[in-house]
Amino acid sequence: MPEDIPKLDAHFLRNLQHYSLQEIASKVAGTLIGDDIPADDLDRIVEEAIDFEAPVRPLDSDMAVLELFHGPSLAFKDFGARFMGRVMAYLSRGDDRVLDVLVATSGDTGGAVALGFLGVPGTRVTILYPKGKVSPVQELQLTTNGRNIRAIEVNGTFDDCQALVKEAFNDGVLRSAFRLTSANSINIARLIPQAFYYFHAYAQILSQGIEDVVFSVPSGNFGNIGAGLLAYRMGLPARRFIAATNINDTVVRFLESGRYEPRPSVQTLANAMDVGNPSNWVRIMDLFGHDRQGLKEVIASYAFTDAETREGIRMLFDRYGCIACPHTAIAWLAAEAYRKACPGGYAAVFLATAHPCKFPGVFPADIAGRIAVPGQVKALEGRRKEAVALDADFGAFKAYLLGNP
């Protein structure tokens, strides 16, 4: 984390609606990164990485959806993965040692990182994912790339995968043998580009003459909402953030009781949110000086069951014709809950974090039949899965890394 969070200048914030997503991205990234990357090089990185849009689509007069699935892996994590890959390649230029990127995924991170780093010179990516707990499309995105991307199918949960990655960074033998880094949201290079779309979304709302905005964010490892709160600390004039979770509700319970009690993650329809001990919560607590009351003034939180998620998918389709993945439906349910608790005077924007085609088994037939499958998903059909199977055992993971230098 930066030692201090810089503020964006007031003139820029008042005139956000006059800037493109790429212009906003360069300004936000430059403010955080400073002189570490010259402005011309940073502009080029942004232009290459953020070459797709993030539109806000109104559903009614005070509810809108921010679509974050228009990148190559069809998930919001394309913002972080593509920016990170190019920043790492830039900072590693001229170094003759391979940069080994370790990443744990509960679904979408792995696919975004795989495509974000595929063919990037001087890098090798090792993706750990929980066996049987990602969708078929997500698994194909993780395991069919080859080249500098390799996948490990872990007999365990996302939390197990995340623990293996963290332990690898703390192991002296592995640190000596490899140049290790992370592509999970524990790496600040993931959160910086995710902050871009909060400012861009606010700019789109501002262009409609609305200045008061609440963001509802599907939350698993709490990197996405962490990026929103980083933007808030930089001056984003959002009224409130809503942490929308499934039954893996560690943070919801903490905000209610003051006791942080992680539990083993439980598998749900919203698999990317199946996190029992979110890594980014310590970062969020640090942003707010470990002041729970201060956090509660900025963050509201709601948790939903699978049955409620299915109902949310149905209601969104029947009411608006909107087809939403489970994570997106949970964000909408949380936005609706907040509107009932705190009615009027603002626009609620909920984040659509993944394309619905990535979760084909979730939808009833009448909705499933309306999902347009993008070309990049059709291109995966027939490709052969390549993954190494391991138990959730650090000794086995360490042996695999050392045995495949």
Side-chain angles (χ1 to χ4, degrees), residues 52-55 65-71 74-79 194 197-198 224 351-355:
F52 49 92
E53 283 301 312
V65 55
L66 169 58
E67 293 183 351
L68 299 175
F69 50 73
H70 294 286
L74 307 175
F76 76 102
K77 294 178 181 181
D78 285 320
F79 283 86
Q194 289 177 226
Y197 51 71
Y198 285 97
N224 200 357
L351 276 57
T353 50
H355 195 287

Side-chain angles (χ1 to χ4, degrees), residues 121 126 137 145-146 160 195 262 275 337:
T126 303
V137 171
N145 297 284
D160 294 324
V275 183

Side-chain angles (χ1 to χ4, degrees), residues 42-249:
L42 187 58
D43 288 345
R44 177 180 53 78
I45 288 169
V46 166
E47 185 176 341
E48 291 179 1
I50 315 299
D51 59 353
F52 49 92
E53 283 301 312
V56 172
R57 302 201 186 279
L59 297 184
D60 61 31
S61 60
D62 55 4
M63 178 72 76
V65 55
L66 169 58
E67 293 183 351
L68 299 175
F69 50 73
H70 294 286
S73 82
L74 307 175
F76 76 102
K77 294 178 181 181
D78 285 320
F79 283 86
R82 289 173 63 80
F83 181 83
M84 172 188 280
R86 284 152 182 79
V87 166
M88 286 183 174
Y90 177 86
L91 296 175
S92 298
R93 67 198 187 284
D95 197 312
D96 58 0
R97 294 183 70 196
V98 170
L99 183 66
D100 269 290
V101 182
L102 305 183
V103 56
T105 184
S106 55
D108 285 329
T109 295
V113 170
L115 293 178
F117 280 82
L118 185 62
V120 172
T123 66
R124 175 173 56 185
V125 177
T126 303
I127 303 169
L128 291 79
Y129 71 97
K131 180 179 179 180
K133 295 180 173 64
V134 301
S135 78
V137 171
Q138 288 172 325
E139 187 169 38
L140 286 172
Q141 289 182 325
L142 305 175
T143 62
T144 61
N145 297 284
R147 297 171 68 182
N148 62 325
I149 311 296
R150 57 191 185 181
I152 297 177
E153 185 180 40
V154 176
N155 188 18
T157 66
F158 168 75
D159 291 328
D160 294 324
C161 297
Q162 186 165 251
L164 292 174
V165 169
K166 289 181 178 178
E167 194 165 352
F169 292 130
N170 290 324
D171 187 273
V173 173
L174 293 179
R175 287 205 313 270
S176 297
F178 304 102
R179 289 177 65 216
L180 295 178
T181 190
S182 172
N184 280 98
S185 53
I186 56 176
N187 190 321
I188 190 66
R190 269 277 305 279
L191 264 66
I192 289 173
Q194 289 177 226
F196 301 163
Y197 51 71
Y198 285 97
F199 287 102
H200 182 54
Y202 185 82
Q204 293 175 74
I205 295 295
L206 197 60
S207 69
Q208 300 172 26
I210 301 170
E211 298 183 3
D212 206 355
V213 179
V214 170
F215 288 100
S216 182
V217 188
S219 299
N221 210 25
F222 277 71
N224 200 357
I225 197 168
L229 293 168
L230 177 64
Y232 177 78
R233 283 295 191 217
M234 294 182 73
L236 176 72
R239 172 195 280 220
R240 204 84 184 270
F241 291 85
I242 306 168
T245 80
N246 55 27
I247 59 172
N248 295 283
D249 60 350

Side-chain angles (χ1 to χ4, degrees), residues 26 56 62 71 102 111 132 173 256 284 323 326 400:
S26 289
V56 172
D62 55 4
L102 305 183
V173 173
E256 289 174 352
I284 291 170
I323 304 176
Y400 169 80

